[in-house]
């Protein structure tokens, strides 16, 4: 266990004893993620390639009777809820992610009398690193282990996604919950978002002397914002015009042929999705061949497409990408939903300091707030710790 994780487990254990009395029945953790490539493809039934990173939500939990959910977040405070009152449309704030996961498990047929739960998180909120999926997945795994429920990781990811879609009210795809549930160390997760078939693709960064830097612009994104729902709607319209079930089924050539019928905006959105799906498969091919140093151009092309065709970038993200490339990165792109949040840069290990300094200096020159820059190491998905 890393030092951070040992700290977090000791912290939730003692907070549990202090607040609820006695020992928790177990400890669980679920990681944050970055997406290597495959952006805005999950809700189009396409492919994504996320990896879990070394930031996580850690929970301590125990069953209780009496129909109550007693929640303590070490960052956000305390809430006591009646389980019977948790339902779509009735919740907001951080507790909705926890209560939503419990509600969603109950929809699977699991009987829950109540739960005491303490959680701590070192995932920045609103940075596009999926802090919400980490909360849902850590809670869900705890509730499932204590009260019973599905074993299958893909099923669990769907249960967590339902919490976010229905109780939190964010129309997200399946990528984040699958990443939190199913990633493994030293690998990226190739996920077919239609079948949920998953393949662990080696991402041996250290062996190739590479570093994947996360550049958190600290510009908060608002995922629940209308822009995300708007992109989803436009993609559905484009699929209908193309006569396919979803944009996963359209190639770049199909989109080109239908250019006039689609019209400007739908054409550009569809072109991004078709090309992005192809890029995911190209990157996977290079990784399977053990050539991670060659994926850079695909990452950078993905960024250009998200900026120009899908139009979900932000000046800070574009700056992070440009500055990283100018300072020696092999490839760089925004990651996550966009409109702020994080960028990724792949670089030779020896260039890490120079790239981080160049990005920070460029942010200062443009009068943006200072970014937070840290390396991403591919980690395991959600698991029980004790
Ligand atoms: C958010 C959503 C995901 C996915 C990405 C964009 O992270 O939660 O489902 O759509 O945006 O790729």
């Amino acid at each position: 266990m890393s030092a951070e994780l040992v700290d977090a487990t000791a912290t939730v254990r003692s907070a549990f004893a202090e607040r609820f009395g006695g020992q928790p029945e177990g400890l669980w953790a679920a990681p944050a993620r970055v997406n290597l490539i495959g952006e805005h493809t999950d809700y189009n039934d396409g492919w994504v390639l996320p990896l879990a990173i070394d930031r996580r939500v850690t929970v301590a939990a125990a069953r209780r009777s009496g129909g109550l959910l007693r929640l303590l977040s070490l960052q956000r405070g305390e809430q006591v809820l009646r389980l019977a009152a948790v339902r779509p449309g009735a919740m907001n704030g951080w507790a909705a992610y926890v209560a939503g996961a419990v509600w969603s498990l109950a929809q699977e047929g699991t009987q829950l009398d109540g739960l005491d739960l303490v959680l701590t998180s070192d995932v920045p909120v609103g940075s596009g690193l999926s802090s919400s999926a980490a909360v849902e997945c850590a809670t869900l795994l705890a509730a499932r282990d204590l009260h019973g429920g599905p074993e299958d990781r893909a099923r669990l990811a769907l249960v967590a996604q339902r919490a976010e879609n229905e109780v939190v009210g964010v129309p997200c795809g399946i990528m984040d919950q699958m990443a939190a549930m199913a990633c493994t160390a030293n690998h990226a997760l190739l996920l077919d978002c239609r079948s949920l078939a998953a393949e662990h693709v080696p991402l041996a960064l250290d062996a190739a002397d590479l570093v994947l830097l996360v550049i958190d612009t600290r510009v908060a994104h608002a995922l629940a914002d209308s822009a995300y729902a708007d992109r989803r709607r436009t993609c559905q319209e484009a699929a209908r015009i193309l006569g396919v079930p979803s944009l996963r089924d359209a190639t770049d050539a199909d989109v080109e042929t239908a250019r006039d019928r689609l019209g400007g905006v739908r054409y550009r959105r569809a072109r991004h999705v078709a090309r992005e799906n192809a890029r995911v498969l190209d990157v996977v091919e290079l990784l399977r061949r053990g050539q991670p140093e060659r994926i850079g151009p695909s990452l950078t092309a993905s960024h250009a497409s998200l900026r120009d065709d899908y139009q979900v970038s932000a000046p800070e993200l574009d700056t992070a990408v440009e500055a990283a490339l100018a300072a020696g990165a092999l490839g760089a792109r925004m990651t996550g939903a966009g409109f702020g949040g994080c960028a990724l840069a792949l670089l030779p290990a020896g260039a890490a300091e120079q790239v981080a300094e160049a990005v920070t200096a460029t942010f200062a020159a443009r009068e943006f707030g200072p970014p937070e820059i840290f390396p991403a190491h591919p980690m395991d998905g959600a698991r029980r710790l004790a």
Side-chain angles (χ1 to χ4, degrees):
M1 268 196 221
S2 68
E4 289 81 11
L5 190 49
V6 171
D7 268 8
T9 56
T11 309
V12 287
R13 200 188 275 285
S14 67
F16 190 97
E18 196 174 303
R19 173 60 190 87
F20 299 129
Q23 287 297 311
E25 290 184 86
L27 303 177
W28 293 262
R33 65 99 188 92
V34 291
N35 186 18
L36 192 57
I37 194 160
E39 218 65 80
H40 289 279
T41 46
D42 64 348
Y43 53 80
N44 288 300
D45 278 354
W47 290 271
V48 293
L49 193 62
L51 50 134
I53 63 169
D54 198 12
R55 300 271 178 127
R56 68 191 64 75
V57 169
T58 308
V59 312
R63 287 167 285 185
R64 55 169 293 116
S65 52
L68 285 187
L69 201 50
R70 298 196 299 179
L71 309 176
L72 172 63
S73 155
L74 299 185
Q75 287 72 39
R76 302 298 184 97
E78 193 170 332
Q79 289 223 13
V80 178
L81 306 163
R82 278 192 312 109
L83 267 173
V86 177
R87 58 178 183 277
M91 310 270 322
N92 52 41
W94 69 270
Y97 299 93
V98 183
V102 172
W103 171 86
S104 191
L105 182 64
Q107 306 312 300
E108 296 289 293
T110 295
Q111 302 282 331
L112 289 107
D113 263 355
L115 196 68
D116 286 339
L117 185 141
V118 173
L119 76 86
T120 188
S121 172
D122 64 358
V123 187
V125 171
S127 279
L129 298 174
S130 284
S131 58
S132 54
V135 171
E136 291 150 6
C137 291
T139 305
L140 181 59
L141 218 54
R144 191 283 312 264
D145 284 353
L146 296 174
H147 292 279
E151 286 296 323
D152 179 59
R153 291 271 164 163
R155 181 77 228 149
L156 286 165
L158 288 165
V159 174
Q161 184 198 20
R162 184 173 182 191
E164 178 126 5
N165 290 166
E166 296 188 28
V167 178
V168 179
V170 173
C172 67
I174 191 63
M175 170 169 69
D176 304 341
Q177 290 77 12
M178 270 302 279
M181 282 294 181
C183 279
T184 56
N186 301 315
H187 291 78
L189 181 79
L190 171 63
L191 179 67
D192 177 332
C193 298
R194 173 171 279 162
S195 66
L196 296 193
E199 178 188 332
H200 301 285
V201 183
L203 187 62
L205 296 169
D206 293 346
D209 221 11
L210 294 173
V211 169
L212 190 62
L213 281 187
V214 178
I215 304 165
D216 182 355
T217 65
R218 291 183 166 160
V219 180
H221 72 132
L223 185 56
D225 203 22
S226 55
Y228 187 86
D230 167 78
R231 295 299 182 285
R232 286 195 72 141
R233 219 173 15 251
T234 307
C235 287
Q236 280 162 5
E237 287 165 14
R240 204 173 314 123
I241 293 170
L242 286 160
V244 291
S246 62
L247 287 182
R248 140 77 171 263
D249 304 294
T251 62
D252 191 23
D254 296 334
V255 174
E256 224 36 67
T257 309
R259 182 172 188 153
D260 291 343
R261 275 189 296 132
L262 285 166
V265 171
R266 282 186 295 251
Y267 163 71
R268 287 161 81 174
R269 306 293 189 252
R271 181 166 72 171
H272 164 74
V273 175
R275 292 183 173 178
E276 185 78 352
N277 276 322
R279 278 188 288 266
V280 175
L281 301 179
D282 288 347
V283 165
V284 165
E285 201 40 51
L286 290 168
L287 294 179
R288 282 191 192 123
R289 280 197 243 137
Q291 300 176 322
E293 69 285 356
R294 293 185 55 200
I295 70 172
S298 295
L299 304 185
T300 307
S302 167
H303 184 77
S305 174
L306 288 157
R307 182 192 59 210
D308 302 335
D309 277 349
Y310 218 67
Q311 298 179 301
V312 290
S313 191
E316 292 83 354
L317 289 167
D318 296 340
T319 298
V321 167
E322 283 158 30
L325 290 171
L330 305 171
R333 59 182 291 275
M334 54 156 276
T335 182
F339 309 108
C342 292
L344 284 180
L346 181 75
L347 31 123
E353 211 163 301
Q354 142 198 339
V355 169
E357 277 169 15
V359 171
T360 305
T362 313
F363 267 56
R366 298 199 183 163
E367 297 185 354
F368 298 150
E372 193 199 339
I373 303 177
F374 59 93
H377 304 289
M379 307 295 283
D380 281 321
R383 66 207 158 100
R384 188 171 189 157
L385 303 169

